[in-house]
Amino acid sequence: MKFTKMHGTGNDYIYVNGFEEKLENPSEAAVKLSDRRFGIGSDGLILILPSDVADCRMEMFNADGSIGKMCGNGIRCVAKYVYDRGLVKKDVLRVETRSGVKTLQLRVEDGKVASVRVNMGQPELDPEKIPVLFSKDRMVDEEVYTPSGNVWRVTCVSMGNPHAVIFVDDVEGVNLPAIGPEMEKHAMFPERANIEFAQVTGPHEVQMRVWERGSGETLACGTGACACAVASVLTGKTDRDVTVHLRGGDLHVFWDPDTDDVYMEGPAAFVFDGTVEI
């Protein structure tokens, strides 16, 4: 099978051109190929497929084989792939995902996509739809107790997948490998959740680390950056125009007060092409 390795701010995926390649069991392939010692190594697998309602369709699988409805870093790389490879030559692209059709604006330099601005849609704050088991109409800055005895103040947002954002004074001091799995699988998240720890450093800046559902700690998460920006506005910590600093780079997020849409902009980078037996 032919594949392409790409990343958005260090959030790396294996991309397969579904216009040409057929993959019978993508969940199984995601587990095998994502292994960083015995496989190609990635945060997951993304298929680029034909669509009846958009320019193309994205199917995402986490490193553990579970399906992801949306991936902000992944969708930017999908845009770069289809434009740079000549599958769809449009500056404004529509991509079908499991969380709806997303509109992307491509910034092209010397014939190649350098960065992409994505309309990520409106944040979902209804606990039932995120989903999170919580009795109020929104879960904003609420205490959550963990089995290990920690108490965190959590804000929950869905950007096509569930996120729990926790603000701390020192994000680099968080023992994420220990805390991440416990929070991801907390009983209040019936579909598990992505966990973001964030440190506000100014009215327009947040430093963030992320534990992704099904993949563990990653260098960046696009939907997580959007959820973090929304949570920082809801808790009164920042303005609506926020740069989120992640270990893999920066993402710019704007939550539009007029439309309620969240826009995210960041880079997309090609790493290498290859072939692999599956």
Side-chain angles (χ1 to χ4, degrees), residues 13-122:
Y13 287 90
I14 299 160
Y15 293 80
V16 175
N17 181 352
F19 289 80
E20 299 176 357
E21 301 277 348
K22 290 189 177 180
L23 192 55
E24 296 298 329
N25 193 333
S27 290
E28 185 178 291
V31 174
K32 178 181 177 181
L33 299 179
S34 296
D35 191 289
R36 296 190 182 276
R37 294 186 182 275
F38 297 101
I40 298 166
S42 71
D43 291 327
L45 171 70
I46 291 178
L47 308 183
I48 304 171
L49 302 161
S51 170
D52 294 329
V53 297
D55 295 305
C56 63
R57 177 165 60 94
M58 177 180 88
E59 284 286 340
M60 175 214 173
F61 299 84
N62 295 307
D64 68 351
S66 60
I67 294 172
K69 291 183 179 179
M70 176 58 186
C71 176
N73 290 313
I75 201 171
R76 295 199 314 276
C77 290
V78 168
K80 179 174 176 63
Y81 185 100
V82 299
Y83 186 94
D84 289 3
R85 304 293 170 104
L87 295 177
V88 184
K89 279 290 187 181
K90 293 182 178 180
D91 291 343
V92 178
L93 193 70
R94 298 177 74 247
V95 179
E96 180 186 357
T97 75
R98 286 180 178 252
S99 66
V101 175
K102 307 299 180 185
T103 301
L104 295 74
Q105 294 178 316
L106 282 56
R107 183 169 65 83
V108 179
E109 296 179 357
D110 299 324
K112 302 288 186 181
V113 172
S115 67
V116 181
R117 187 174 193 251
V118 187
N119 183 341
M120 300 287 284
Q122 299 177 349

Side-chain angles (χ1 to χ4, degrees), residues 159-257:
M159 291 301 309
N161 43 20
H163 292 272
V165 183
I166 301 166
F167 292 99
V168 294
D169 293 331
D170 177 16
V171 71
E172 290 301 327
V174 174
N175 186 359
L176 197 53
I179 299 167
E182 182 179 53
M183 285 298 296
E184 174 195 352
K185 299 170 184 176
H186 195 286
M188 71 188 308
F189 302 121
E191 297 179 8
R192 297 184 294 163
N194 300 279
I195 312 300
E196 285 79 31
F197 279 87
Q199 177 183 345
V200 176
T201 54
H204 299 281
E205 287 189 286
V206 177
Q207 187 178 348
M208 189 188 96
R209 290 173 64 193
V210 57
W211 181 270
E212 285 201 61
R213 175 182 62 171
S215 293
E217 183 170 13
T218 60
L219 294 181
C221 175
T223 56
C226 293
C228 178
V230 169
S232 67
V233 173
L234 291 174
T235 54
K237 298 180 186 298
T238 69
D239 294 334
R240 288 177 172 262
D241 201 345
V242 180
T243 296
V244 182
H245 303 288
L246 303 121
R247 286 188 163 182
D250 295 346
L251 294 173
H252 183 76
V253 182
F254 174 62
W255 186 13
D256 192 321

